[in-house]
Amino acid sequence: MKVTIIHGQTHHGSTYHLTHTLVSKLNCSKEDISEFTVNDISYCVGCFQCIFKDEHLCPHRKQLNPIITALENADVIIMDSPNYVMGMSGQLKAFFDHLAYRWMSHRPDGEMKKKIAVAVSTTASMGAKTVTKQIATQFRWWAVGQIYQLPFTVAAASWDDVSGKIRNKIDIKTDKLASKINKLSGNVRFNLKGRLIFFMNQNIQRGLGYNPVDVEWWEKHGWIKKKKSQT
Ligand SMILES: Cc1cc2nc3c(=O)[nH]c(=O)nc-3n(C[C@H](O)[C@H](O)[C@H](O)COP(=O)(O)O)c2cc1C
């Protein structure tokens, strides 16, 4: 299976190691893994080019291209961030902002339904689940087929300070999650919540369809019928 890892931080702390503990248990070789950090991606400037015209007009598209290609090629997507004041890192949020056009409310990638995604976070005391939920929301709206969350309270500021007891727990949890992913990969069914959101947006595109670029996308993929042109 092909695995794409996207880190919301550059340093190799607890979050990085939690992600890699999971990855080391997946049925993939080194060549199957693509790994990125998002720290060099510029902030979204709110130009709306991606949403109303074409994502390739984004002023930062060159920076994004390799990551987006790796996302498209992946069977399993893993994205991580430490908890920073009860949220994901600013860098990771800046990356997600650039993918707004891929939300089901605009032009989702139909292939996402076949993929598995994992949201990973660590925290010193509270909030890892808050962060994985935030990341999982992005996956949900990208129309990812199966979404997992791996939040961990590590009670430490660095990986070296994580106790043996917590490392044991990490081992057990990542064992369980990896075996689920190894079984499921290649046989993913689009989850119910995702299907409901897709259905809701199908109706919106069919009815309101305020953005012609989005409507055309839904028509092109056969998700809605082409509207008859009015004479
Ligand atoms: C800027 C910053 C903000 C943080 N905010 C919180 C927080 O709100 N709650 C908490 O329990 N830990 C917080 N932490 C601690 C980290 O979430 C925790 O140590 C985490 O495991 C660090 O992961 P890393 O080793 O991958 O960097 C914060 C750390 C930093 C650097």
Side-chain angles (χ1 to χ4, degrees), residues 80-216:
D80 69 19
S81 168
N83 168 26
Y84 287 165
V85 285
M86 303 308 281
M88 70 176 88
S89 68
Q91 302 89 294
L92 191 58
K93 177 63 169 59
F95 171 74
F96 280 127
D97 294 345
H98 287 86
L99 272 288
Y101 72 94
R102 276 288 179 247
W103 271 42
M104 280 191 261
S105 41
H106 297 289
R107 302 190 299 281
D109 173 355
E111 292 298 301
M112 280 286 166
K113 293 178 192 172
K114 301 175 192 164
K115 300 183 196 294
I116 299 168
V118 189
V120 179
S121 181
T122 70
T123 188
S125 64
M126 282 171 67
K129 182 88 186 178
T130 306
V131 175
T132 58
K133 267 190 185 170
Q134 291 172 350
I135 298 172
T137 298
Q138 302 295 324
F139 293 152
R140 176 85 60 218
W141 281 84
W142 288 358
V144 170
Q146 186 64 48
I147 300 165
Y148 294 107
Q149 296 183 42
L150 185 60
F152 243 97
T153 301
V154 291
S158 77
W159 179 242
D160 287 344
D161 293 335
V162 176
S163 70
K165 200 174 159 193
I166 290 172
R167 284 173 193 239
N168 264 348
K169 279 189 188 169
I170 287 177
D171 229 20
I172 293 167
K173 265 211 175 162
T174 50
D175 267 352
K176 277 190 189 159
L177 182 55
S179 78
K180 273 189 201 168
I181 294 171
N182 288 332
K183 265 190 216 146
L184 193 65
S185 180
N187 292 303
V188 178
R189 285 197 63 215
F190 194 21
N191 68 86
L192 182 63
K193 251 193 196 173
R195 272 189 273 159
L196 286 173
I197 297 173
F198 187 88
F199 177 70
M200 184 182 81
N201 282 285
Q202 202 171 25
N203 282 312
I204 291 171
Q205 294 300 344
R206 195 183 281 131
L208 276 175
Y210 70 93
N211 181 7
V213 181
D214 293 347
V215 174
E216 201 182 306

Side-chain angles (χ1 to χ4, degrees), residues 30-92:
K30 262 191 176 173
E31 296 72 43
D32 292 328
I33 300 171
S34 306
E35 189 164 11
F36 302 87
T37 61
V38 289
N39 288 58
D40 296 330
I41 309 267
S42 311
Y43 297 122
C44 169
V45 291
C47 64
F48 277 97
Q49 296 282 9
C50 65
I51 290 176
F52 289 129
K53 290 187 179 165
D54 180 336
E55 62 269 24
H56 297 97
L57 297 175
C58 170
H60 312 130
R61 187 71 195 183
K62 261 196 188 158
Q63 300 172 333
L64 296 163
N65 268 338
I67 308 182
I68 290 173
T69 304
L71 281 176
E72 288 168 357
N73 292 338
D75 300 302
V76 178
I77 297 165
I78 303 177
M79 296 188 67
D80 69 19
S81 168
N83 168 26
Y84 287 165
V85 285
M86 303 308 281
M88 70 176 88
S89 68
Q91 302 89 294
L92 191 58

Side-chain angles (χ1 to χ4, degrees), residues 219 225-231:
E219 287 174 348
K225 274 194 186 144
K226 218 176 161 79
K227 281 181 189 151
K228 282 178 193 149
S229 57
Q230 289 173 341
T231 48

